[in-house]
Every structure is written in C-alpha cells, then in structure tokens.
Amino acid sequence: EPQPLTFADTAPLRVTDSATVAASPGRVFDAFADTASWPRWFPLMHRARWVGPETAGVGSEREVALHLLGAYRERFIAWEPGERFAFTMTKSSSPMARAIVEDFRFTDVGGRTRIDWVLAADPRTLGKIARPALEQIMPRVFRRAGKQLERYLG
C-alpha cells in the first residue's frame, strides 16, 4: 500500500537512527542514487535494480531483495540531491508490513555527512510480534550500512 512522505512522521511503527560518513552530502546521495551499488554496502540486500524507464527522481521505481526480509518494489517520493532520498513500498513478499516508507536526510557536518534515517511502517500481525526485535536490530543494520558505505566510498 503506497504511502505519502508524511507517513514517515505518522506511521504506527517508526524506527530512527543516524550515521556519519566521511564524504560530502552530494557524494553520499550519489551512492544512494546508484541502485546497483546497494548490495555492496547495505547489509542484507542482495539484489537491487531499476524497473521502468526512469532511473532517478520522484516516481522512479526499483526492486530490491533483502535476506530474511523479502523482496520489495519501491517508488521514490523524495529525490533532493545532497539532501533527501525517500521511497514508499508498492509491492512486497514480506509478511511484516502493509505499508513502508523509508526517509533518508543528509546534513553536512564539517565535511562529513550525517545521514538521518526513518523506517516507518504499518505492521501486520507478524510485524507487531517482531516489533521489539525490529526496533533493536534495524538501527544496528543502518549503522553498519553507514560504516560499509564509508568503506565503499573509500
């Protein structure tokens, strides 16, 4: 069930965290925009590809697959180079949530980039049961992604 960007602030389940990467916001955004690179630095992701004619910007779509969590089709709802990158789920094989929005914001902090992340979801029954574990595990996954992204950008 696709959601608007405001869902990131109002969802029944919100997991947030931050990571700092030794690169400019523009360079970090470019890595995020390079869908093919995600499996190299984002934990659990083993496949990512654009679908449709658009490969950038609001309205473009990609398909990703995460170990243990399923496959997803995502539509971009924010695309602000160097500042913001957000998508909503349009299809999923996961039994965890009815709706998901992920929102990433990039802030320059003295030549480095702070990435603020929100995972917003409307959990299904299994997601509600797994909520305590998700609230502990997902921030760790995100912090690990930040470290791996920094190494990837080298």
Side-chain angles (χ1 to χ4, degrees):
E1 193 176 311
Q3 295 294 317
L5 192 54
T6 55
F7 185 73
D9 297 322
T10 62
L13 170 63
R14 293 180 74 249
V15 180
T16 63
D17 209 338
S18 296
T20 302
V21 175
S24 69
R27 193 155 178 239
V28 171
F29 182 90
D30 288 347
F32 271 69
D34 179 10
T35 286
S37 78
W38 279 63
R40 294 183 211 146
W41 58 266
F42 197 86
L44 305 178
M45 189 176 292
H46 61 91
R47 188 176 69 238
R49 70 179 188 91
W50 289 108
V51 292
E54 299 297 322
T55 59
V58 171
S60 59
E61 294 190 0
R62 70 180 185 178
E63 290 178 347
V64 302
L66 302 171
H67 293 291
L68 305 175
L69 296 175
Y72 302 86
R73 186 166 186 153
E74 302 164 339
R75 179 179 305 134
F76 285 87
I77 55 178
W79 189 281
E80 301 169 28
E83 295 181 24
R84 196 173 195 183
F85 184 93
F87 51 82
T88 184
M89 176 180 68
T90 63
K91 289 183 183 178
S92 173
S93 67
S94 174
M96 301 293 276
R98 284 185 228 9
I100 294 175
V101 165
E102 287 194 56
D103 187 10
F104 300 87
R105 294 183 190 223
F106 311 107
T107 305
D108 186 304
V109 286
R112 297 171 58 88
T113 300
R114 186 182 73 234
I115 306 167
D116 294 307
W117 168 72
V118 176
L119 168 63
D122 180 7
R124 295 179 190 266
T125 302
L126 184 57
K128 290 175 184 176
I129 292 167
R131 183 178 187 146
L134 291 171
E135 289 175 331
Q136 289 187 0
I137 293 167
M138 292 312 294
R140 288 184 205 155
V141 167
F142 178 66
R143 285 191 298 273
R144 185 170 161 214
K147 289 176 185 173
Q148 290 181 188
L149 175 60
E150 187 170 70
R151 279 195 295 276
Y152 173 75
L153 293 173

